Amino acid sequence: MTTGQPPQTGGSLGANPYRGVHPFSSGDNDYFAGRGSEIQIVISKLYGSKLTVLYGESGCGKTSLIRAGVIPELQKPEHRVAVLLFRDWQSPDFAKYLRHKILEALLEVINRLRKSQVESVPDAALPAEITFAELEEALRGALGPDDDTPMAEEAFYGEQDLPLDRFIMECCAVFSGQMFFIFDQFEEYLYYHPEGSPGAAFDAAFARLVNRQDVPASFILSLRDDGLGKLDRLRPRIPYLLGNMYRLEHLTHDGAEEAMTRPLEIHAQSGYRSVDIEPALKDKLLAQIREDRIGFEDVYLSPRLLVPQEDTLRYKALFLQIILTRLWEQDIGKDGGSFLKLATFETLTAEKAEDESEARYLVRTYFDGIMARLTPEQQDDAAEVLRFLIRFGGQKKAGDPRRLAMDAGIQDEGRIVSLLEALALESDDPQGRKMSLLRKVGPPSKPLYEFVHDVMGLALRDWCDRRRDDVFRRRQEKELDLAERRRLQDQATADDKLKASRKLTTVVLIAAAVLVIMAAWIFYSKVQMRKNELDRQAVMSANAKVQEGNTAAAMDDREEAIKAYKEAKVLFSALGKIVDLDPEKQYQEFASKGAKAKARKDAMDLIEVGNDLAKQGESKKAEAIEAYEKAKALLPALADFSPEGEYDRWSKSKDVPNPDKGGPKRSLRR
């Protein structure tokens, strides 16, 4: 659909017309392109041979060819056949489930034929569709021991009472037609049910179906080319097992171009927005999705030495679908444009390795966008769990939640069930891409989970490895961060202890210093008190010597006075006191004071004598006057003293108190 004209931008966006990693289904047959000749070849094989082995590389499109090409064609009115695609080999009781699916295929063809017969009659009413329960009841009734007793359900679905070849013959007899069986991913049967296991009993049942020419059924065994060798275990029972083989190759150049453009044409014809693909992008995709240039093995990172001829070049359809799905999401879903652009193709691959092509990078990182819808915790769990759904060679394998939880080392099985259900939920995102990576197989009561396509097993393992590396890095960073926090915490604790120790040491030192200072102060105080006491005693001794000298001087004992003064001066000098003490001057001063004191005392005594005589009257007057005169002569201070007046006063008053006997002192006028 490259017209050179801008596409119409009107209309709603619609769903993504590309399928990504998912196989095409019967409802996608209009979008399925590039396999017209292969569809007719497979149908002719079904009609012309009892057994056909359809094989090819993983991802070449075997399942999509059957589901979106062969089955829709065989369900057209001109084909009176019941078609069954069976691929659920994982369960131990798959044989019972196979019979259930045979009845569903029989029911579909019966209702389809009844409807076509009625539609051929004008104005005829459409009959009610037959239900599964009605069909099962009718068959069990026909196979019962008598008309009134239907066959037991266990016997109806069991190989022992009702062999599979007879079961199919009875089913074909119901609509007088034949059945086409397409056993897809048959290598899974050989893997899950090795020789000697209960499920391997199907080998004999299948051999009878193929070898009996009266069973109106044809079979296709569809498997990867690397599983052909495993068919050897059936060759003893089916001699011509590999007599009719058909290898499905990758897309031709024209088929790859049609796979890119036809979905866009059908999308526009369905009333949605018209979208085109840039020619430059188409050319680059065709150059990079060649089977010799893209893959997940290391060999695809280097140029091939042997390059196929141009007319034999093949192109990997699955990788093309994945790349176009991602481009649609970006250019149409997010940007709202009308072109799938080369610029977007290059922008999305800006982080690719230098030796990796853009196409391989987009395929390898396809799961990043799908996994991004999970929580970070679920992504971590997915990296641990999903790797156990991939075998060593990249092939898928089914697993149950309990075993997956054990293998991944996760104790919470419910957490794993929630994760698997989220990845197996087939719901479209806003851009229309299928978000499921897993599909549930086996009985609904105890389902198993497997990857939708094993060709992407290595890409999924790459995602798991990258995520696990990221988890390991985050754990290391967390551990380092925790160790650093512990180190800082220990350092802080040590610092706090050191600070506390230093504080305590400081307090102790201060307390010790205070105690030392107090002890020193007490010692100093005692020493000072002792010194002061000694000084006081020395001063007292010195003062005593001075007083002794004064007394001696007053008594006019010059020798003793000078001696006492000198001793006092020596004592004062020993105390460090400078005293202006001149023994000679001190003596002269106190000798003079002593004479004056003696003169005063003698004068007072004479006055007292005169007073006593004056009291005796006139007879003692002369003696009293004489005493007063002598006192006046001894004491210069009594110069104004009048002996006559003193006599008159004391002679008249006989009761005048004597100062020396406790009475008030008499004042002497000077």
PDB file of all heavy atoms in Angstrom, residues 58 191 224 226 296-297 387 389-397 454-459 461:
ATOM      1  N   SER A  58      11.825 -22.635  13.868  1.00  0.00           N
ATOM      2  CA  SER A  58      10.957 -21.976  14.833  1.00  0.00           C
ATOM      3  C   SER A  58      10.769 -20.522  14.424  1.00  0.00           C
ATOM      4  O   SER A  58      11.731 -19.809  14.136  1.00  0.00           O
ATOM      5  CB  SER A  58      11.580 -22.050  16.232  1.00  0.00           C
ATOM      6  OG  SER A  58      10.747 -21.434  17.178  1.00  0.00           O
ATOM      7  N   TYR A 191       8.479 -34.452  23.917  1.00  0.00           N
ATOM      8  CA  TYR A 191       9.269 -33.958  25.055  1.00  0.00           C
ATOM      9  C   TYR A 191       8.580 -34.267  26.386  1.00  0.00           C
ATOM     10  O   TYR A 191       9.221 -34.758  27.322  1.00  0.00           O
ATOM     11  CB  TYR A 191       9.485 -32.445  24.906  1.00  0.00           C
ATOM     12  CG  TYR A 191      10.110 -31.791  26.117  1.00  0.00           C
ATOM     13  CD1 TYR A 191      11.470 -31.898  26.365  1.00  0.00           C
ATOM     14  CD2 TYR A 191       9.324 -31.051  27.017  1.00  0.00           C
ATOM     15  CE1 TYR A 191      12.049 -31.302  27.481  1.00  0.00           C
ATOM     16  CE2 TYR A 191       9.892 -30.448  28.129  1.00  0.00           C
ATOM     17  CZ  TYR A 191      11.245 -30.581  28.353  1.00  0.00           C
ATOM     18  OH  TYR A 191      11.804 -29.991  29.460  1.00  0.00           O
ATOM     19  N   ARG A 224       9.078 -28.215  14.794  1.00  0.00           N
ATOM     20  CA  ARG A 224      10.303 -27.528  14.388  1.00  0.00           C
ATOM     21  C   ARG A 224      11.232 -28.504  13.685  1.00  0.00           C
ATOM     22  O   ARG A 224      11.219 -29.710  13.949  1.00  0.00           O
ATOM     23  CB  ARG A 224      11.012 -26.943  15.610  1.00  0.00           C
ATOM     24  CG  ARG A 224      10.222 -25.884  16.361  1.00  0.00           C
ATOM     25  CD  ARG A 224      11.135 -25.186  17.362  1.00  0.00           C
ATOM     26  NE  ARG A 224      11.809 -26.158  18.220  1.00  0.00           N
ATOM     27  CZ  ARG A 224      11.345 -26.555  19.402  1.00  0.00           C
ATOM     28  NH1 ARG A 224      10.184 -26.092  19.854  1.00  0.00           N
ATOM     29  NH2 ARG A 224      12.020 -27.421  20.122  1.00  0.00           N
ATOM     30  N   ASP A 226      14.307 -28.926  14.157  1.00  0.00           N
ATOM     31  CA  ASP A 226      15.245 -29.590  15.052  1.00  0.00           C
ATOM     32  C   ASP A 226      14.599 -30.713  15.850  1.00  0.00           C
ATOM     33  O   ASP A 226      15.258 -31.400  16.630  1.00  0.00           O
ATOM     34  CB  ASP A 226      15.885 -28.575  16.011  1.00  0.00           C
ATOM     35  CG  ASP A 226      14.850 -27.823  16.849  1.00  0.00           C
ATOM     36  OD1 ASP A 226      13.646 -28.115  16.722  1.00  0.00           O
ATOM     37  OD2 ASP A 226      15.258 -26.935  17.620  1.00  0.00           O
ATOM     38  N   PHE A 296      19.106 -14.715  17.175  1.00  0.00           N
ATOM     39  CA  PHE A 296      19.606 -14.448  18.518  1.00  0.00           C
ATOM     40  C   PHE A 296      20.916 -15.162  18.816  1.00  0.00           C
ATOM     41  O   PHE A 296      21.526 -14.933  19.842  1.00  0.00           O
ATOM     42  CB  PHE A 296      18.560 -14.844  19.565  1.00  0.00           C
ATOM     43  CG  PHE A 296      17.353 -13.976  19.516  1.00  0.00           C
ATOM     44  CD1 PHE A 296      16.129 -14.482  19.126  1.00  0.00           C
ATOM     45  CD2 PHE A 296      17.439 -12.645  19.847  1.00  0.00           C
ATOM     46  CE1 PHE A 296      15.021 -13.675  19.067  1.00  0.00           C
ATOM     47  CE2 PHE A 296      16.333 -11.822  19.790  1.00  0.00           C
ATOM     48  CZ  PHE A 296      15.118 -12.341  19.400  1.00  0.00           C
ATOM     49  N   GLU A 297      21.348 -16.038  17.940  1.00  0.00           N
ATOM     50  CA  GLU A 297      22.638 -16.665  18.142  1.00  0.00           C
ATOM     51  C   GLU A 297      23.735 -15.666  17.786  1.00  0.00           C
ATOM     52  O   GLU A 297      23.549 -14.737  17.020  1.00  0.00           O
ATOM     53  CB  GLU A 297      22.774 -17.936  17.281  1.00  0.00           C
ATOM     54  CG  GLU A 297      21.779 -19.034  17.627  1.00  0.00           C
ATOM     55  CD  GLU A 297      20.396 -18.778  17.045  1.00  0.00           C
ATOM     56  OE1 GLU A 297      20.256 -17.820  16.273  1.00  0.00           O
ATOM     57  OE2 GLU A 297      19.469 -19.529  17.380  1.00  0.00           O
ATOM     58  N   ARG A 387      12.544 -17.616  33.376  1.00  0.00           N
ATOM     59  CA  ARG A 387      13.676 -18.357  32.802  1.00  0.00           C
ATOM     60  C   ARG A 387      13.510 -19.860  32.944  1.00  0.00           C
ATOM     61  O   ARG A 387      14.144 -20.632  32.215  1.00  0.00           O
ATOM     62  CB  ARG A 387      14.986 -17.896  33.448  1.00  0.00           C
ATOM     63  CG  ARG A 387      15.073 -18.117  34.944  1.00  0.00           C
ATOM     64  CD  ARG A 387      16.198 -17.306  35.552  1.00  0.00           C
ATOM     65  NE  ARG A 387      16.292 -17.511  36.992  1.00  0.00           N
ATOM     66  CZ  ARG A 387      17.173 -18.309  37.553  1.00  0.00           C
ATOM     67  NH1 ARG A 387      18.042 -18.973  36.807  1.00  0.00           N
ATOM     68  NH2 ARG A 387      17.220 -18.440  38.862  1.00  0.00           N
ATOM     69  N   LEU A 389      10.780 -21.322  32.235  1.00  0.00           N
ATOM     70  CA  LEU A 389       9.864 -21.717  31.168  1.00  0.00           C
ATOM     71  C   LEU A 389      10.595 -21.827  29.832  1.00  0.00           C
ATOM     72  O   LEU A 389       9.956 -21.969  28.791  1.00  0.00           O
ATOM     73  CB  LEU A 389       8.716 -20.704  31.056  1.00  0.00           C
ATOM     74  CG  LEU A 389       7.784 -20.612  32.268  1.00  0.00           C
ATOM     75  CD1 LEU A 389       6.730 -19.543  32.033  1.00  0.00           C
ATOM     76  CD2 LEU A 389       7.120 -21.947  32.563  1.00  0.00           C
ATOM     77  N   ILE A 390      11.917 -21.740  29.873  1.00  0.00           N
ATOM     78  CA  ILE A 390      12.732 -21.805  28.658  1.00  0.00           C
ATOM     79  C   ILE A 390      13.770 -22.912  28.834  1.00  0.00           C
ATOM     80  O   ILE A 390      14.475 -22.951  29.843  1.00  0.00           O
ATOM     81  CB  ILE A 390      13.448 -20.462  28.394  1.00  0.00           C
ATOM     82  CG1 ILE A 390      12.447 -19.312  28.409  1.00  0.00           C
ATOM     83  CG2 ILE A 390      14.191 -20.502  27.070  1.00  0.00           C
ATOM     84  CD1 ILE A 390      13.097 -17.952  28.429  1.00  0.00           C
ATOM     85  N   ARG A 391      13.829 -23.791  27.869  1.00  0.00           N
ATOM     86  CA  ARG A 391      14.840 -24.846  27.909  1.00  0.00           C
ATOM     87  C   ARG A 391      16.200 -24.308  27.463  1.00  0.00           C
ATOM     88  O   ARG A 391      16.313 -23.177  26.992  1.00  0.00           O
ATOM     89  CB  ARG A 391      14.405 -26.021  27.032  1.00  0.00           C
ATOM     90  CG  ARG A 391      13.339 -26.893  27.683  1.00  0.00           C
ATOM     91  CD  ARG A 391      12.943 -28.031  26.764  1.00  0.00           C
ATOM     92  NE  ARG A 391      11.749 -27.677  25.998  1.00  0.00           N
ATOM     93  CZ  ARG A 391      11.300 -28.379  24.970  1.00  0.00           C
ATOM     94  NH1 ARG A 391      11.945 -29.453  24.581  1.00  0.00           N
ATOM     95  NH2 ARG A 391      10.209 -28.011  24.342  1.00  0.00           N
ATOM     96  N   PHE A 392      17.205 -25.151  27.596  1.00  0.00           N
ATOM     97  CA  PHE A 392      18.576 -24.710  27.331  1.00  0.00           C
ATOM     98  C   PHE A 392      18.725 -24.164  25.915  1.00  0.00           C
ATOM     99  O   PHE A 392      19.402 -23.172  25.691  1.00  0.00           O
ATOM    100  CB  PHE A 392      19.532 -25.886  27.551  1.00  0.00           C
ATOM    101  CG  PHE A 392      20.965 -25.525  27.281  1.00  0.00           C
ATOM    102  CD1 PHE A 392      21.696 -24.787  28.196  1.00  0.00           C
ATOM    103  CD2 PHE A 392      21.589 -25.911  26.097  1.00  0.00           C
ATOM    104  CE1 PHE A 392      23.013 -24.437  27.950  1.00  0.00           C
ATOM    105  CE2 PHE A 392      22.897 -25.575  25.842  1.00  0.00           C
ATOM    106  CZ  PHE A 392      23.614 -24.838  26.780  1.00  0.00           C
ATOM    107  N   GLY A 393      18.108 -24.792  24.947  1.00  0.00           N
ATOM    108  CA  GLY A 393      18.238 -24.358  23.562  1.00  0.00           C
ATOM    109  C   GLY A 393      17.341 -23.212  23.184  1.00  0.00           C
ATOM    110  O   GLY A 393      17.307 -22.804  22.016  1.00  0.00           O
ATOM    111  N   GLY A 394      16.568 -22.683  24.140  1.00  0.00           N
ATOM    112  CA  GLY A 394      15.659 -21.574  23.870  1.00  0.00           C
ATOM    113  C   GLY A 394      14.223 -22.014  23.650  1.00  0.00           C
ATOM    114  O   GLY A 394      13.336 -21.172  23.503  1.00  0.00           O
ATOM    115  N   GLN A 395      13.953 -23.338  23.627  1.00  0.00           N
ATOM    116  CA  GLN A 395      12.584 -23.806  23.425  1.00  0.00           C
ATOM    117  C   GLN A 395      11.762 -23.591  24.701  1.00  0.00           C
ATOM    118  O   GLN A 395      12.270 -23.637  25.810  1.00  0.00           O
ATOM    119  CB  GLN A 395      12.571 -25.301  23.045  1.00  0.00           C
ATOM    120  CG  GLN A 395      13.337 -25.634  21.787  1.00  0.00           C
ATOM    121  CD  GLN A 395      14.796 -25.913  22.049  1.00  0.00           C
ATOM    122  OE1 GLN A 395      15.279 -25.758  23.156  1.00  0.00           O
ATOM    123  NE2 GLN A 395      15.502 -26.338  20.997  1.00  0.00           N
ATOM    124  N   LYS A 396      10.496 -23.376  24.500  1.00  0.00           N
ATOM    125  CA  LYS A 396       9.611 -23.158  25.634  1.00  0.00           C
ATOM    126  C   LYS A 396       9.261 -24.484  26.294  1.00  0.00           C
ATOM    127  O   LYS A 396       9.343 -25.551  25.692  1.00  0.00           O
ATOM    128  CB  LYS A 396       8.325 -22.446  25.185  1.00  0.00           C
ATOM    129  CG  LYS A 396       7.505 -23.215  24.162  1.00  0.00           C
ATOM    130  CD  LYS A 396       6.330 -22.378  23.691  1.00  0.00           C
ATOM    131  CE  LYS A 396       5.545 -23.051  22.573  1.00  0.00           C
ATOM    132  NZ  LYS A 396       4.897 -24.281  22.972  1.00  0.00           N
ATOM    133  N   LYS A 397       8.867 -24.379  27.551  1.00  0.00           N
ATOM    134  CA  LYS A 397       8.338 -25.540  28.262  1.00  0.00           C
ATOM    135  C   LYS A 397       7.315 -25.044  29.270  1.00  0.00           C
ATOM    136  O   LYS A 397       7.389 -23.901  29.757  1.00  0.00           O
ATOM    137  CB  LYS A 397       9.445 -26.323  28.957  1.00  0.00           C
ATOM    138  CG  LYS A 397      10.134 -25.590  30.100  1.00  0.00           C
ATOM    139  CD  LYS A 397      11.147 -26.494  30.774  1.00  0.00           C
ATOM    140  CE  LYS A 397      11.834 -25.771  31.928  1.00  0.00           C
ATOM    141  NZ  LYS A 397      12.815 -26.643  32.613  1.00  0.00           N
ATOM    142  N   ASP A 454       8.319 -20.126  21.164  1.00  0.00           N
ATOM    143  CA  ASP A 454       9.659 -20.442  21.635  1.00  0.00           C
ATOM    144  C   ASP A 454      10.760 -19.779  20.809  1.00  0.00           C
ATOM    145  O   ASP A 454      11.917 -19.802  21.218  1.00  0.00           O
ATOM    146  CB  ASP A 454       9.886 -21.954  21.671  1.00  0.00           C
ATOM    147  CG  ASP A 454       9.596 -22.644  20.359  1.00  0.00           C
ATOM    148  OD1 ASP A 454       9.417 -21.947  19.336  1.00  0.00           O
ATOM    149  OD2 ASP A 454       9.550 -23.873  20.360  1.00  0.00           O
ATOM    150  N   VAL A 455      10.429 -19.204  19.646  1.00  0.00           N
ATOM    151  CA  VAL A 455      11.473 -18.525  18.887  1.00  0.00           C
ATOM    152  C   VAL A 455      11.997 -17.309  19.642  1.00  0.00           C
ATOM    153  O   VAL A 455      13.117 -16.859  19.428  1.00  0.00           O
ATOM    154  CB  VAL A 455      10.964 -18.097  17.492  1.00  0.00           C
ATOM    155  CG1 VAL A 455      10.032 -16.903  17.602  1.00  0.00           C
ATOM    156  CG2 VAL A 455      12.132 -17.780  16.567  1.00  0.00           C
ATOM    157  N   MET A 456      11.160 -16.795  20.565  1.00  0.00           N
ATOM    158  CA  MET A 456      11.577 -15.647  21.358  1.00  0.00           C
ATOM    159  C   MET A 456      12.145 -16.062  22.702  1.00  0.00           C
ATOM    160  O   MET A 456      12.349 -15.232  23.585  1.00  0.00           O
ATOM    161  CB  MET A 456      10.386 -14.704  21.563  1.00  0.00           C
ATOM    162  CG  MET A 456       9.874 -14.069  20.284  1.00  0.00           C
ATOM    163  SD  MET A 456      11.066 -12.924  19.581  1.00  0.00           S
ATOM    164  CE  MET A 456      10.950 -11.609  20.778  1.00  0.00           C
ATOM    165  N   GLY A 457      12.386 -17.359  22.859  1.00  0.00           N
ATOM    166  CA  GLY A 457      12.906 -17.832  24.131  1.00  0.00           C
ATOM    167  C   GLY A 457      14.229 -17.188  24.494  1.00  0.00           C
ATOM    168  O   GLY A 457      14.459 -16.785  25.640  1.00  0.00           O
ATOM    169  N   LEU A 458      15.132 -17.077  23.508  1.00  0.00           N
ATOM    170  CA  LEU A 458      16.429 -16.459  23.782  1.00  0.00           C
ATOM    171  C   LEU A 458      16.289 -14.971  24.078  1.00  0.00           C
ATOM    172  O   LEU A 458      17.035 -14.422  24.890  1.00  0.00           O
ATOM    173  CB  LEU A 458      17.369 -16.683  22.600  1.00  0.00           C
ATOM    174  CG  LEU A 458      17.775 -18.146  22.341  1.00  0.00           C
ATOM    175  CD1 LEU A 458      18.648 -18.238  21.100  1.00  0.00           C
ATOM    176  CD2 LEU A 458      18.501 -18.719  23.542  1.00  0.00           C
ATOM    177  N   ALA A 459      15.322 -14.313  23.405  1.00  0.00           N
ATOM    178  CA  ALA A 459      15.094 -12.894  23.692  1.00  0.00           C
ATOM    179  C   ALA A 459      14.532 -12.724  25.106  1.00  0.00           C
ATOM    180  O   ALA A 459      14.903 -11.793  25.830  1.00  0.00           O
ATOM    181  CB  ALA A 459      14.127 -12.296  22.670  1.00  0.00           C
ATOM    182  N   ARG A 461      15.049 -14.820  27.553  1.00  0.00           N
ATOM    183  CA  ARG A 461      16.159 -15.113  28.466  1.00  0.00           C
ATOM    184  C   ARG A 461      17.076 -13.892  28.564  1.00  0.00           C
ATOM    185  O   ARG A 461      17.599 -13.589  29.640  1.00  0.00           O
ATOM    186  CB  ARG A 461      16.929 -16.331  27.979  1.00  0.00           C
ATOM    187  CG  ARG A 461      18.123 -16.693  28.870  1.00  0.00           C
ATOM    188  CD  ARG A 461      18.794 -17.951  28.383  1.00  0.00           C
ATOM    189  NE  ARG A 461      17.927 -19.105  28.584  1.00  0.00           N
ATOM    190  CZ  ARG A 461      18.161 -20.309  28.064  1.00  0.00           C
ATOM    191  NH1 ARG A 461      19.213 -20.484  27.272  1.00  0.00           N
ATOM    192  NH2 ARG A 461      17.341 -21.320  28.300  1.00  0.00           N
TER     193      ARG A 461
END
